[in-house]
Every structure is written in C-alpha cells, then in structure tokens.
Amino acid sequence: MVMSIKPMSPFLGAEIEGVNLCGTLSSEVFAAINKALLEHIVVVVRGQKLSPKTYVEVMSQFGVPGKQSHSKELHRDHPEIWIIDSRNSEIDAAGKRMVFGSECWHTDHTHLEKPPKLTSLYAVRLPETGGDTEFANAYRLYGRLSAEHSERISNLYVMYGADRHVTFREADRDSFSVPSRHPLVRTHPETGRRALYIHPLKMQSIEGMTTEESETFVNELLEATIDLSELYRHQWRLGDLVLIDNRACLHKAARDYDPTVGRVMHRMIIQGDRPV
C-alpha cells in the first residue's frame, strides 16, 4: 500500500495511511512525515500495532525521548511512556473522575526549561463513544490579534511551575523544583512563524501581573482568539498514533465520555529547545 497524506481540515491536521511504523523508517518516509507535521501541525498515522518497545524505538527517530513528570503512571519497563488511563484520573470536588487534559487549552510541559517539541499519543483502549481530542492552530491564534495587541503580548513572559489542579507527588519534585520562564508568544525554530504559547494551569503568573490578573488576561486572550469553527476534533480509532507539534498547537481533551469506562493512551514527548 502506498503512503498517502490527506488534510483533515483547512486549518490543521492531516491523516497518513499506508505506512507501517514498526522498524526503522526510511529517510523518505521520515522526511514525508516530518514535512507533514510542520505543514499540518497535527498528524494522525492510522492502523499501527506498536508494542511499548517498538513505540519507543519509533519515536526515538524523531529525537530524544523526554522525561515526563508523572512517575506513578510511567510504564514499568519503558519509563519513556506515560500511561494515561482515565480510570486512574484525579477525583474532582464532586467525587467524580476528571477527564485529564480537559481543563483548558494548553501546550505540554511548559514547566521545563526546554519543553517538548513533539508529543505523541497512541490509542490503546477507547470508550465505545467519545474520548475525542481538540486541536487549535496556535499560529492562527496569534495572527488573529490586532497589531497593537500582538505587539503587547509579544513582550510578555510567563513563569511556570507545577499544575495547580493535580496532586503534587514527592517523586516528581525534581521536575518542578526550578520554575521556568517562557515567552507568551514563541517563534517556531523550523518554520520561523510566531505562535501563541501557553499552559494556563502550569502558569504561576505573567511577569508584571498578579496571579489573578494573569489568569484573567489569559482567559480573555484565549476567548478572543480561539475560533471553534477552525478546530480539528480528532475522533480516535484503536491504533491511531497522533503526533503533535507543541510549538504551534494548543490542545484539549473533550469531556464527551465517562472516564470510569477506560480510555487509555500511551504518551511520549520528544525533547525540544528553549522557546524564544
């Protein structure tokens, strides 16, 4: 079967079929996937059968796997993999399981000095219905701002630390011990394009603002820039491997299923550089 790449929306997202990622990728296949990722920001590779070992081998071809700050849920034999199982998610104030990643639009692991350039999610178990993930093109979010507004936020920096909505574990202390400082708008190192870059729940504050002022500012910013008609909503199939360019994308899990039924993703991140 010949590899094909099909855009999933006019704004971001592409589907790749006809490729088996098990084993070493040829230079041509890797170049095609990487080009699609830079162009479409989110790439879905369908129909994969990846053991944890093979998954690590595949993703290692895209860069160095990063350490994830969730020690309790890391794969026992392959700690590069975080097992995101909805049945083990945090309990909310009402005593119900939370849908992890559904609290806000975000990019991953901004608490690190060098956040990941790439996140991958591999679908292992899915509910009968729901469990979608939504994606927003962060280039377009920035481009939607007026010249005056974009100039203002381009000079803002955010201090990041541990998530405010999950339990802090002692084993993960090292991951959060040193706060990170990143621009609210970053320049993609490969495309040269500017994008909105934020994780509200890891945000301690925007420099020059209080925590409360920072939260209000970011909430209003996202409300003003995210156009629901331009999102890509991914409806998962078993065996989907989704690659996300964290430097140009915000994402959020949909609250469209019961977490207790079990939705399991294997997640890996690939080390990136310091945002500028």
Side-chain angles (χ1 to χ4, degrees):
M1 187 175 182
V2 178
M3 183 175 74
S4 65
I5 301 174
K6 179 180 72 175
M8 301 295 280
S9 87
F11 309 106
L12 77 166
E15 178 186 72
I16 296 180
E17 293 185 316
V19 60
N20 181 358
L21 295 180
C22 294
T24 303
L25 301 179
S26 70
S27 57
E28 292 80 11
V29 169
F30 175 80
I33 294 175
N34 198 56
K35 180 181 178 182
L37 188 59
L38 291 175
E39 181 178 352
H40 298 286
I41 304 172
V42 176
V43 169
V44 183
V45 188
R46 300 285 195 187
Q48 301 305 299
K49 296 181 179 180
L50 304 176
S51 68
K53 179 177 181 293
T54 302
Y55 183 30
V56 173
E57 291 172 348
V58 168
M59 293 311 304
S60 294
Q61 295 176 72
F62 289 90
V64 178
K67 180 181 178 181
Q68 305 192 69
S69 305
H70 304 274
S71 58
K72 186 178 179 181
E73 294 90 9
L74 299 183
H75 192 284
R76 181 180 61 186
D77 300 320
H78 300 280
E80 302 93 338
I81 299 172
W82 174 26
I83 301 174
I84 307 177
D85 188 335
S86 64
R87 294 165 295 185
N88 299 326
S89 61
E90 295 281 324
I91 303 296
D92 64 19
K96 296 183 178 180
R97 292 283 178 190
M98 298 169 58
V99 175
F100 184 86
S102 68
E103 296 86 359
C104 63
W105 289 99
H106 64 281
T107 187
D108 287 333
H109 272 42
T110 53
H111 63 281
L112 299 177
E113 180 184 4
K114 294 182 178 180
K117 67 177 183 180
L118 177 65
T119 290
S120 63
L121 291 169
Y122 177 57
V124 175
R125 175 188 173 114
L126 297 172
E128 289 188 8
T129 60
D132 298 353
T133 304
E134 295 181 302
F135 300 93
N137 183 330
Y139 294 138
R140 293 186 66 84
L141 303 188
Y142 176 69
R144 192 164 286 122
L145 298 170
S146 66
E148 181 180 356
H149 200 174
S150 62
E151 182 179 359
R152 180 191 176 193
I153 71 167
S154 293
N155 296 316
L156 295 178
Y157 280 79
V158 183
M159 296 300 299
Y160 290 104
D163 297 71
R164 300 195 301 275
H165 70 304
V166 296
T167 304
F168 181 84
R169 299 186 180 114
E170 187 62 29
D172 297 324
R173 179 177 294 278
D174 288 347
S175 295
F176 301 108
S177 59
V178 180
S180 64
R181 177 181 183 267
H182 298 312
L184 185 56
V185 177
R186 72 171 296 174
T187 301
H188 195 294
E190 295 183 73
T191 67
R193 299 177 66 186
R194 308 206 75 190
L196 197 61
Y197 187 75
I198 189 69
H199 192 320
L201 290 178
K202 291 184 185 293
M203 178 180 67
Q204 296 178 341
S205 66
I206 297 173
E207 289 186 345
M209 301 184 194
T210 65
T211 299
E212 293 74 17
E213 290 170 341
S214 301
E215 291 178 353
T216 299
F217 184 88
V218 167
N219 288 338
E220 291 177 349
L221 177 63
L222 292 175
E223 185 175 351
T225 57
I226 290 180
D227 184 340
L228 298 181
S229 69
E230 293 189 0
L231 303 181
Y232 168 56
R233 184 173 178 126
H234 183 61
Q235 297 178 325
W236 290 90
R237 304 176 193 169
L238 285 176
D240 279 357
L241 177 66
V242 172
L243 308 178
I244 308 163
D245 188 339
N246 279 298
R247 303 161 295 185
C249 183
L250 300 184
H251 61 278
K252 183 174 70 169
R255 297 178 180 176
D256 59 354
Y257 73 104
D258 178 0
T260 63
V261 305
R263 175 185 183 271
V264 181
M265 297 285 165
H266 284 185
R267 189 183 90 161
M268 289 184 62
I269 57 176
I270 299 301
Q271 291 180 13
D273 51 10
R274 186 167 185 166
V276 294

